[in-house]
Amino acid sequence: MALSLKPAHLKRYKDVALLLLRYGREDYARQLDADVAVSGDDAVAADPEKAQRLARDLEQLGPTFIKIGQLLSTRADLLPVAYLEALTRLQDDIAPFSFAEVEKTIEEELGARLSKIFTEFQAEPVAAASLGQVHRARLRDGREVAVKVQRPGIRAQIVDDLDAFEEIAATLDAHRENAEAFPLVRLVEELRRTLLRELDYRLEAQSLKIIGANLAEFPLILVPKPFDDFTSGRVLTMEWVSGRKITALPAVEKPELPGEKLADTLFQAYLKQVLVDGIFHADPHPGNVLVTDDQRLGLIDLGMIGRVAPTLQEKLLRLVLAVAEGQGDEAAERTLDIAEGSKDFDDGELRRRIADLVGLHQEVAVKDLKIGKVLLELTRTTAESGLRLPPELAMLGKTLLHLDEISRTLDPDFDPNAAVRRHSADLIRRRMAGSATPGHLFAALLEAKEFVEKLPGRVNRVLDLVSTNSLRVKVDALDEKELFSGLQKIANRIATGLVLAALIVGAALLMQVRTRFTIFGYPGFAMLCFVGAAAGGVALLLSIVASDRPAGPRRRPR
């Protein structure tokens, strides 16, 4: 396969080619198929070591590849669960850039000298990632803040990488047999939208406000507030959250935490975000959740946000409840309710696989059960049958997978299924209350008003039609004229066939009667019957060929 790429994109093409050679060569593909093969009813898990190696390779290749891995971690229809778990833990902790660049960026973006904005500003960052780094500072009014500064030139680098990936994806799609099922170009477009949103810190500030307001009812959850006056596209200033990452907590301090209460509250807060609010923090990995000094949970780095449409929220709630209750048949029904794609699939087989999947995980010990993993496996099982589930379900599975890890860090005996069952009544009540907003009530009142106003006139028209015997019911069914015409043709052909058969039988009997009138030495009348039957048969065949020829598409009458 000859590739025609821009010279500037050759470096990225070599990086992609190296990954394909390492993880996409034929023998590896066969091994991958074996890793996820299903033998009877038992699914064989993929090799976790290979999955971890892929995550490490992506980290070494830079920010764009890290974001590709994070995007792929939501595509359960493309990768086995072991790879999804490895990619969800991708960390982009890299060397920080210089303080001079930090100062230059802040002054360019905020239009004032650093010393005029902050009375204190720590030169050493508290965290550095591929897209930016965070510094601790203090505003002139005394408030302590965290200042997130975007890495210089990162936007241009990512845009250039995305252009290269798009060109490579288009070339690969043109030479792949299954390009229509899994177009790489569409995957790159999704990555472009996600990354460009994450590079605009004003959108992250807006997410902090929305999610902070939605979670204000949970006193154990803290979302930092942004400061709009000191925020731009490349600089985000927000409230400082004093605490430590969950993964950095010493073992001796964990027993002092209210772990069970924190884990349950965190799970409840995220279920509310996804299934009630419709907007949620889509990347709550352990590095983005802090245990504060006053024993609360602080959510940071809200650059990656997921959204769920109201119509899909109801269906996802039913699916999550079915999985939590271990109702395999109900989970299969709810899955097919939200699935899209080809109708050419084995309905019974897919239902059996989903029911077995839910039942299998229901039998796993509480300490090993992961509800997020079940949802990801369910997404992959459905994709293997030729159907597609909305990407929101995979994002929900990934989010719950992170929550499983965080909750078990806080409380090793935490049961996520029990948490879903425990909060299901509250979730349903909130869903119903959400439908009873003033806007919905006013809309229903307007519809009722219109119905009452128009009802008398409509009833009068119907009664007038009934009294004059003019009422007609229009049914979109078969055309009765064409139906009866077709039946008449069938009856005529059957009758003609019977007559021809009678002529042949009669001629065969008359062949035994010797008469003076002969044709070629055979009884003449019998021969005439044979000739008539043959002619009638030919005429019948010609009529069938002429009248039953497939017609072109008919236009509907206007």
Side-chain angles (χ1 to χ4, degrees):
M1 178 176 66
L3 296 178
S4 176
L5 298 172
K6 296 178 181 178
H9 296 165
L10 289 178
K11 172 63 171 63
R12 278 314 186 196
Y13 167 68
K14 292 178 181 178
D15 293 334
V16 173
L18 179 62
L19 283 178
L20 292 177
L21 286 173
R22 184 173 300 175
Y23 297 100
R25 62 182 188 271
E26 186 177 354
D27 59 338
Y28 178 83
R30 285 198 300 267
Q31 180 61 42
L32 183 60
D33 290 339
D35 288 341
V36 298
V38 176
S39 177
D41 294 333
D42 297 328
V44 181
D47 184 358
E49 177 56 33
K50 293 179 181 176
Q52 293 295 338
R53 191 166 66 244
L54 172 61
R56 290 193 297 268
D57 287 344
L58 291 176
E59 288 176 353
Q60 293 174 359
L61 288 173
T64 312
F65 282 90
I66 291 173
K67 296 305 176 182
I68 288 178
Q70 292 176 349
L71 177 63
L72 287 175
S73 68
T74 66
R75 297 301 301 267
D77 53 338
L78 297 179
L79 295 174
V81 175
Y83 287 80
L84 301 178
E85 290 180 339
L87 294 177
T88 56
R89 299 186 181 93
L90 270 175
Q91 301 293 324
D92 49 1
D93 187 13
I94 61 176
F97 53 94
S98 67
F99 177 70
E101 293 284 358
V102 172
E103 186 176 16
K104 179 182 178 182
T105 301
I106 291 177
E107 293 179 353
E108 287 179 354
E109 291 292 312
L110 302 185
R113 294 182 60 82
L114 189 69
S115 57
K116 296 293 184 182
I117 304 174
F118 307 101
T119 57
E120 297 178 17
F121 195 97
Q122 292 186 2
E124 290 296 324
V126 295
S130 57
L131 299 186
Q133 61 192 36
V134 179
H135 292 258
R136 189 172 183 175
R138 188 180 299 275
L139 295 174
R140 301 196 70 82
D141 59 6
R143 288 177 295 182
E144 199 168 14
V145 295
V147 184
K148 186 176 180 180
V149 184
Q150 195 170 107
R151 189 173 289 272
I154 190 64
R155 183 183 183 89
Q157 177 188 338
I158 287 180
V159 169
D160 188 61
D161 284 344
L162 289 172
D163 291 341
F165 293 155
E166 188 171 4
E167 187 178 359
I168 294 170
T171 304
L172 292 177
D173 281 345
H175 295 83
R176 290 192 308 125
E177 295 181 357
N178 61 338
E180 294 183 0
F182 298 108
L184 296 177
V185 171
R186 188 179 304 170
L187 195 64
V188 175
E189 292 174 354
E190 183 180 347
L191 176 65
R192 183 185 294 272
R193 288 194 300 270
T194 302
L195 274 180
L196 293 183
R197 283 184 58 87
E198 198 168 345
L199 286 170
D200 189 347
Y201 288 170
R202 290 168 297 188
L203 297 177
E204 183 174 347
Q206 186 68 20
S207 299
L208 287 169
K209 294 179 186 177
I210 296 174
I211 294 180
N214 291 340
L215 300 183
E217 62 185 85
F218 300 98
L220 293 179
I221 304 294
L222 173 62
V223 179
K225 298 177 182 178
F227 297 93
D228 292 337
D229 293 339
F230 308 106
T231 295
S232 68
R234 298 171 58 204
V235 176
L236 171 60
T237 304
M238 53 191 158
E239 182 183 7
W240 173 260
V241 178
S242 181
R244 285 178 290 181
K245 296 180 180 180
I246 286 183
T247 53
L249 281 177
V252 293
E253 294 186 15
K254 290 183 180 180
E256 300 178 1
L257 290 175
E260 181 180 357
K261 189 174 183 180
L262 288 176
D264 188 68
T265 302
L266 183 66
F267 222 88
Q268 183 183 8
Y270 270 88
L271 289 175
K272 177 182 180 292
Q273 288 182 67
V274 177
L275 302 175
V276 178
D277 300 331
I279 177 172
F280 62 98
H281 181 204
D283 193 26
H285 64 73
N288 287 342
V289 180
L290 305 180
V291 177
T292 65
D293 297 338
D294 55 356
Q295 295 189 339
R296 292 190 294 170
L297 295 178
L299 305 182
I300 61 174
D301 194 4
L302 272 66
M304 188 178 295
I305 295 297
R307 298 181 183 273
V308 184
T311 54
L312 185 58
Q313 285 178 338
E314 190 101 9
K315 297 177 181 179
L316 287 179
L317 174 58
R318 294 181 180 181
L319 176 59
V320 170
L321 290 176
V323 172
E325 293 285 351
Q327 299 175 351
D329 293 337
E330 179 67 14
E333 187 68 31
R334 299 281 71 84
T335 301
L336 293 177
D337 188 32
I338 62 178
E340 302 174 350
S342 172
K343 300 300 180 183
D344 186 18
F345 69 98
D346 191 337
D347 183 272
E349 175 64 16
L350 179 57
R351 289 176 182 271
R352 185 190 68 80
R353 293 184 64 184
I354 293 176
D356 289 349
L357 173 64
V358 175
L360 177 66
H361 283 275
Q362 193 67 17
E363 297 172 0
V364 175
V366 171
K367 65 183 181 62
D368 297 325
L369 191 144
K370 296 181 179 180
I371 189 172
K373 184 176 181 180
V374 177
L375 292 179
L376 292 175
E377 288 182 349
L378 190 148
T379 303
R380 180 170 179 81
T381 299
T382 306
E384 289 173 350
S385 299
L387 297 177
R388 296 188 307 274
L389 290 175
E392 290 84 355
L393 181 61
M395 291 189 72
L396 173 59
K398 174 190 173 183
T399 300
L400 292 177
L401 195 63
H402 282 313
L403 293 181
D404 287 334
E405 182 178 357
I406 296 172
S407 300
R408 283 181 172 79
T409 302
L410 294 169
D411 179 16
D413 296 326
F414 181 75
D415 183 0
N417 277 16
V420 173
R421 291 192 294 268
R422 188 163 51 250
H423 300 300
S424 59
D426 182 60
L427 291 172
I428 294 172
R429 179 185 61 80
R430 289 175 181 272
R431 287 290 307 160
M432 296 178 65
S435 301
T437 60
H440 285 89
L441 292 177
F442 284 133
L445 288 174
L446 289 174
E447 290 181 1
K449 171 179 174 292
E450 182 182 3
F451 174 76
V452 171
E453 288 177 348
K454 295 184 177 181
L455 181 61
R458 290 172 177 172
V459 172
N460 284 336
R461 287 197 296 271
V462 172
L463 293 177
D464 289 341
L465 292 173
V466 172
S467 63
T468 59
N469 198 27
S470 302
L471 184 64
R472 297 288 184 270
V473 179
K474 184 179 180 181
V475 179
D476 188 9
L478 295 174
D479 190 339
E480 63 275 9
K481 292 183 179 180
E482 290 189 5
L483 178 62
F484 284 115
S485 175
L487 292 175
Q488 186 177 13
K489 286 182 180 180
I490 294 173
N492 290 340
R493 289 175 182 176
I494 292 175
T496 303
L498 291 175
V499 171
L500 294 177
L503 285 175
I504 294 173
V505 173
L509 295 175
L510 289 175
M511 290 293 289
Q512 306 299 323
V513 180
R514 299 297 176 182
T515 61
R516 294 181 181 180
F517 173 57
T518 62
I519 298 176
F520 299 114
Y522 296 102
F525 191 64
M527 292 296 293
L528 290 176
C529 289
F530 274 125
V531 172
V538 172
L540 180 61
L541 289 175
L542 292 177
S543 173
I544 291 174
V545 172
S547 62
D548 292 356
R549 182 179 301 166
R554 298 179 58 186
R555 294 183 179 179
R556 291 185 177 182
R558 296 182 179 177

